[in-house]
Amino acid sequence: MSSPSAAAPASAGPVPSPSPSPTGPAVPSLQDAQEHATNAASWVEQNWSTWLAIGLRVVLILLIAAVLRVLVRRAITKLIDRMSRTGGAVDGTALGGLLVNAERRRQRSQAIGSVLRSVASFLILGTGALMVLGTFQINLAPLLASAGVAGVAIGFGARNLVTDFLSGVFMILEDQYGVGDSIDAGVASGEVIEVGLRVTKLRGDSGEIWYVRNGEVKRIGNLSQGWSTAGVDVTVRADEDLDKVKETLDAVSERLSKEEPWNEMLWGPIEVLGLDSVLLDSMVVRVSAKTMPGKSLTVERELRWRIKRAFVAADIPIVGGATIPLDETPAPDPAAGVAAPSAYANSASPQSVAASPLLPPATGPSTTK
């Protein structure tokens, strides 16, 4: 017979294995690591050609954009330099005096070259950036659509700014005016002290500074390009000797043309054009001369000064407007200090009768008894 102690272990169930600790991290096995490395190597092997193609394409796009940008900027620089040399060759001709000076031309060339180079760089680099994004399989349609909508919104919101900028660009390209020119812009006039793509600064006659938006300028009157005309009107008596007047004016003109610095300001002979108008008691003789740009007022003042002195020396009086003889004085009016007679001076006039006081009623003689 078997003992009870030997039968007890046989009737008991299987002994459970100890469970792993829930707090400990799972340690990957060597087989899992080998599997992950094999998958990564396989993925790299399958896509390395695509990466290489994309990288080479990006490098090629950037290289072409950089080379094209350098070539375009050099071409623009050479074009601007050629324009400056062409303008410099004209300075020695008769037409050279009508053109702007070398410093003005250099400033204009630099401004035009800067604008063209900036526009070329923006277009080339922007196109290259879009091509790089397209290489990475990025959908550019939403980006371009958003840019188009944003451009339209900015265009409507800042249309005045766009108008000013475009007007400034065309103003520089057409060389309408530059620093140092005296212009009449309609809204303001004065000497140009700064030219920008959006705003032009003018120094007024009283020293004030005007900020004129280029888009607001509808017309430009440049007083510093080409030449100016100095005109002086001399009014003399109607009975004055015209030959004597012309000889005096010719003598003044000849002396002024030979003296410095007036000979440099005058670009032509001073001409006595003749009678500009004839009135009953006076006549106007016009004198004109072609001068340097912006020097017409200076020449006119000097001409008036010298003509006045020459006419005084030649005993030729200068008159103006309605004149009276210098050797005759009007007789005084004897009735100027006498007041007009009054209607009340005559006692028989209706005014005097109406203003007379009323007499008291008549009463009979009193009787006494």
Side-chain angles (χ1 to χ4, degrees), residues 162-235:
V162 175
T163 302
D164 297 339
F165 181 81
L166 293 178
S167 300
V169 170
F170 283 105
M171 178 270 299
I172 294 177
L173 291 176
E174 297 173 359
D175 191 24
Q176 298 178 5
Y177 54 85
V179 176
D181 288 351
S182 296
I183 66 171
D184 181 3
V187 294
S189 60
E191 182 181 355
V192 180
I193 60 176
E194 184 178 341
V195 178
L197 294 178
R198 192 182 69 87
V199 174
T200 298
K201 294 182 182 180
L202 302 178
R203 175 79 66 180
D205 297 334
S206 301
E208 69 276 8
I209 296 179
W210 298 97
Y211 293 83
V212 181
R213 290 171 44 196
N214 295 329
E216 296 294 329
V217 178
K218 304 302 179 183
R219 62 166 178 84
I220 291 291
N222 196 324
L223 307 179
S224 299
Q225 288 185 356
W227 63 83
S228 298
T229 302
V232 176
D233 292 334
V234 183
T235 305

Side-chain angles (χ1 to χ4, degrees), residues 46-70:
Q46 292 176 0
N47 295 284
W48 74 271
S49 59
T50 304
W51 292 351
L52 182 60
I54 292 176
L56 291 177
R57 189 176 301 173
V58 171
V59 172
L60 184 62
I61 291 174
L62 295 179
L63 183 61
I64 293 176
V67 173
L68 184 60
R69 178 173 176 269
V70 171

